[in-house]
Amino acid sequence: MRSELAIGTLCVTALVLAGKIGQSVQPQLKAPVGLTLHQQEALEESAVASLFGEFRASIADFLWLESDRYLHFGVGTRGRLDSEKKDKKVGAVQGQAAHDSHHDETTIVPNAEADWRGVLGSLERQTQPYMDMSHHEERDAKETIPLFRLMTWTNPHFVQGYVHGAMQMARVSKKLPEALAFLQEGERNNPDSLSIQATLCELYFVRLGKLAEALAHGNKALLLFSQKDPKTLSRDEEEDVNNAFRWLVLIYRDLGDARRKAGDTSEAQLLYAQGRHLASACLQYYPEDPTAIKFLRRFTGK
C-alpha cells in the first residue's frame, strides 16, 4: 500500500513540476500534438523534446482520446493505412458536428465489409463498442468540457484542445461567454495559431453576430496563413484556413447587404468587391469551395 501511495505521489508531483517548469520549455510545447496522423508525424519529427514537456503533451493526448471516445459512445478510431485509403470497403469516420477532427481515420474494430475474420469479427463488433461512424452523431458534449479544460492546462499549446473545447461550449447557449474566454486564453498562449484566429472569427460571426470583431480575427487568420508554407499545414489547419475564407466572404456579403438596404449602394459595391477578392483567393487554394463559387455567381461586379 505504501509503495502504491508513493508511486501516486510521484505522479502527482511530476504533473505539478511539469506545470511549473513548462514556461522554460516553450520550444518543445509548440510542437504539434494530438492524435491525427499529421500531428503524430509532426511530433515525431520535431526536435528532441524535454522530458516534462513530452509528459504534458502525453497527458493532453490521453485526455483528447478519452473525450473522443466519450463523444463516440466508446468507439475507438485509428488512422487509415495508405492501402486502406484506396479501399472503399474500409469504413471512414466522418462526423456531422462542426470542427470534426477525424481525417483519414477508421474504427479500431473493423467494419464488416473490410473484416476478413468472419465470425470472429462479427463477435467482436457485438461485444466491443462499435457503430457505423460514417456521418455519425455524437453524445451531448457537456460532459467533455472539463476534459478540454484539463488538457489545455497540462499543455497550453494544444491548439485543437482550445478549438474543439470552445466549440463544444458554444453549443450550450449559456456558455457562449465561457467559450469566448476559453478561446481568448488559447489566443494568448498561441498567438501564431491561425486555427484559433479562424475559430474566433466563426464564434464572433455565427454565434455572437459581431461582424467587426469577426472580420479582424478572420483577417489575422489569413495573415498568419500567408506567412506559412501551405505544404506544411496540418489537415486541421487546412480546414481552418478554408473556413476563414468562407466566413470573411459571408461577412462582406452581410455588410454589403446592410449598406445596400440603407441606400448606400456605392459603399455596398465596395464591400461586395472585397468579398469577390476573397472568394477568388479562396478558389486558388480550394477550387471547389461552394461558398466562394456561390458568392461570385451572385456578385459579378456589374
Side-chain angles (χ1 to χ4, degrees), residues 6-196:
I7 293 173
T9 301
L10 285 174
C11 291
V12 173
T13 302
L15 182 58
V16 173
L17 286 174
K20 297 295 185 182
I21 298 176
Q23 298 303 318
S24 64
V25 291
Q26 293 296 325
Q28 188 279 329
L29 288 174
K30 290 185 179 179
V33 295
L35 296 177
T36 66
L37 290 178
H38 180 92
Q39 291 169 327
Q40 290 176 359
E41 292 170 358
L43 183 59
E44 291 169 359
E45 295 171 1
S46 64
V48 177
S50 72
L51 173 62
F52 286 109
E54 185 174 330
F55 175 70
R56 295 178 71 185
S58 298
I59 292 294
D61 282 345
F62 171 75
L63 294 170
W64 175 269
L65 178 60
E66 288 304 301
S67 67
D68 188 72
R69 284 184 174 174
Y70 174 82
L71 289 173
H72 300 131
F73 302 92
V75 178
T77 61
R78 63 171 178 80
R80 288 192 292 176
L81 303 174
D82 289 338
S83 59
E84 292 176 328
K85 295 176 184 178
K86 301 175 182 179
D87 189 347
K88 295 182 179 180
K89 293 182 180 179
V90 178
V93 178
Q94 180 63 51
Q96 295 179 346
H99 291 268
D100 182 69
S101 59
H102 300 285
H103 307 300
D104 293 327
E105 294 183 18
T106 188
T107 53
I108 292 176
V109 177
N111 58 301
E113 294 78 7
D115 197 345
W116 53 270
R117 296 174 299 166
V119 175
L120 291 177
S122 178
L123 180 62
E124 185 176 21
R125 282 186 292 278
Q126 294 178 38
T127 58
Q128 298 296 323
Y130 175 79
M131 67 177 180
D132 181 2
M133 295 285 280
S134 59
H135 304 287
H136 63 279
E137 295 183 353
E138 297 180 347
R139 275 179 171 168
D140 188 340
K142 288 187 290 187
E143 298 296 330
T144 65
I145 291 175
L147 292 178
F148 286 108
R149 287 197 168 281
L150 186 55
M151 71 180 71
T152 54
W153 178 78
T154 56
N155 185 357
H157 298 294
F158 188 17
V159 168
Q160 290 306 312
Y162 282 113
V163 169
H164 289 274
M167 296 312 295
Q168 299 294 4
M169 294 176 192
R171 292 169 67 179
V172 183
S173 60
K174 293 182 179 179
K175 288 187 175 291
L176 274 176
E178 187 177 343
L180 180 59
F182 190 56
L183 262 185
Q184 289 171 335
E185 175 190 315
E187 180 185 23
R188 291 191 296 272
N189 290 327
N190 304 274
D192 297 328
S193 169
L194 64 85
S195 292
I196 288 178

Side-chain angles (χ1 to χ4, degrees), residues 98-99 159-170 176 179-180 182-184 187 193-208 213-214 217-222 236-237 239-245 247:
H99 291 268
V159 168
Q160 290 306 312
Y162 282 113
V163 169
H164 289 274
M167 296 312 295
Q168 299 294 4
M169 294 176 192
L176 274 176
L180 180 59
F182 190 56
L183 262 185
Q184 289 171 335
E187 180 185 23
S193 169
L194 64 85
S195 292
I196 288 178
Q197 293 300 326
T199 309
L200 279 166
C201 174
E202 177 178 354
L203 194 61
Y204 274 116
F205 177 48
V206 178
R207 302 286 183 172
L208 298 172
E213 291 86 345
H217 287 291
N219 284 330
K220 188 170 183 179
L222 294 189
D236 292 313
E237 289 175 321
E239 288 189 2
D240 290 327
V241 170
N242 194 183
N243 287 334
F245 274 117
W247 299 131

